[in-house]
Amino acid sequence: MMAETHPKSEVSSTVTTSPTYAAPQKASGISLCLEYFKTAPGIIKIIELVIGIFCMACAAPAWTNGTHWFLFVVVTAFVSTALWCFIYLLNLKSAINLPIDWLLTELILTALFAVLYIIASIVQLISSVTKPRPPSRLKPFYILSGIFGIFNLIAYAIGSFYLYRDWKDSHPHSSFSGSVLKRNP
C-alpha cells in the first residue's frame, strides 16, 4: 500500500469588520436616506421612539414627583432620538462640515439616556407603588409606564452597544496609545 501525499493548499482568510452603518458618500448635500432604518441601529432607534411614546402615554398625568422625573427623562430622550433620526434621514452628517465626532457624540448621549432610564424607571415604579397619591385608577398605568421604561432602557443599551462597536471600528487606534503615555525608564 502506498500512502498518497497531497499537497496542502493554504487558504488564508482575513476577517474584516466594518461599521454597522456607513453613510453613503456620494452626496455632499442634504438627501433622503432611508437605508439607515433598514439596519440594526436604525431599527433600534425606531423601537426607542415607539416605546417612548408608550411611556409618555402611560405616565401622562403626572401626579407624583417620581412621575415628573420619569416624564422629563422620557421626553428628553424622545426628542434627542427623534433629532438623531432626522440627522440620519436627511443625511445631515455628511452635509454639515463640523469638527464633530458624530458617533462619539451619539454614543455618549445614548449611554447617558440608558443610565437615566434605569434611574427614572426605578423611581417611577417605586413612587407609583409606595405613594398614596396617584389616584388608584392611574396606578396600573404608572406601573406599566415603569415597565415600558425598563424595555426602553434595554433598547438604549443595545443602541449604545451598536454605537460603541461602530465607533471602535472607525477608530482603530485609541488616541491614548501615543508615546506620551509610555513609561520612561
Side-chain angles (χ1 to χ4, degrees):
M1 286 184 118
M2 293 184 66
E4 291 183 34
T5 58
H6 297 287
K8 292 184 179 178
S9 63
E10 292 185 22
V11 177
S12 65
S13 65
T14 58
V15 177
T16 58
T17 59
S18 62
T20 308
Y21 173 75
Q25 301 295 327
K26 60 183 177 185
S28 62
I30 296 174
S31 62
L32 192 62
C33 179
L34 295 174
E35 288 83 26
Y36 175 76
F37 298 104
K38 296 175 184 174
T39 64
I43 293 169
I44 291 292
K45 283 218 184 336
I46 292 171
I47 290 171
E48 290 167 356
L49 289 175
V50 169
I51 295 175
I53 290 171
F54 285 131
C55 287
M56 288 184 283
C58 290
W63 284 81
T64 65
N65 289 334
T67 305
H68 287 285
W69 166 249
F70 181 78
L71 281 174
F72 171 75
V73 170
V74 170
V75 170
T76 306
F78 181 82
V79 169
S80 175
T81 305
L83 286 175
W84 280 108
C85 284
F86 283 118
I87 287 172
Y88 282 111
L89 179 68
L90 298 176
N91 200 15
L92 292 177
K93 287 171 68 172
S94 63
I96 300 174
N97 293 326
L98 293 175
I100 297 173
D101 189 353
W102 292 95
L103 276 176
L104 183 61
T105 304
E106 187 179 4
L107 169 64
I108 290 171
L109 279 174
T110 306
L112 176 69
F113 286 132
V115 170
L116 289 177
Y117 252 108
I118 193 166
I119 295 168
S121 296
I122 291 170
V123 168
Q124 175 67 9
L125 288 170
I126 290 173
S127 70
S128 63
V129 172
T130 60
K131 300 287 181 184
R133 211 172 157 180
S136 60
R137 63 183 166 81
L138 291 178
K139 280 191 181 189
F141 295 109
Y142 281 5
I143 293 170
L144 188 61
S145 68
I147 293 169
F148 278 131
I150 292 171
F151 289 147
N152 220 0
L153 155 72
I154 294 168
Y156 275 94
I158 293 170
S160 297
F161 169 74
Y162 282 134
L163 288 168
Y164 175 74
R165 191 177 64 182
D166 290 349
W167 181 79
K168 203 63 169 161
D169 288 343
S170 66
H171 294 79
H173 299 291
S174 174
S175 60
F176 297 114
S177 65
S179 62
V180 176
L181 295 178
K182 290 184 180 175
R183 188 173 287 197
N184 291 332

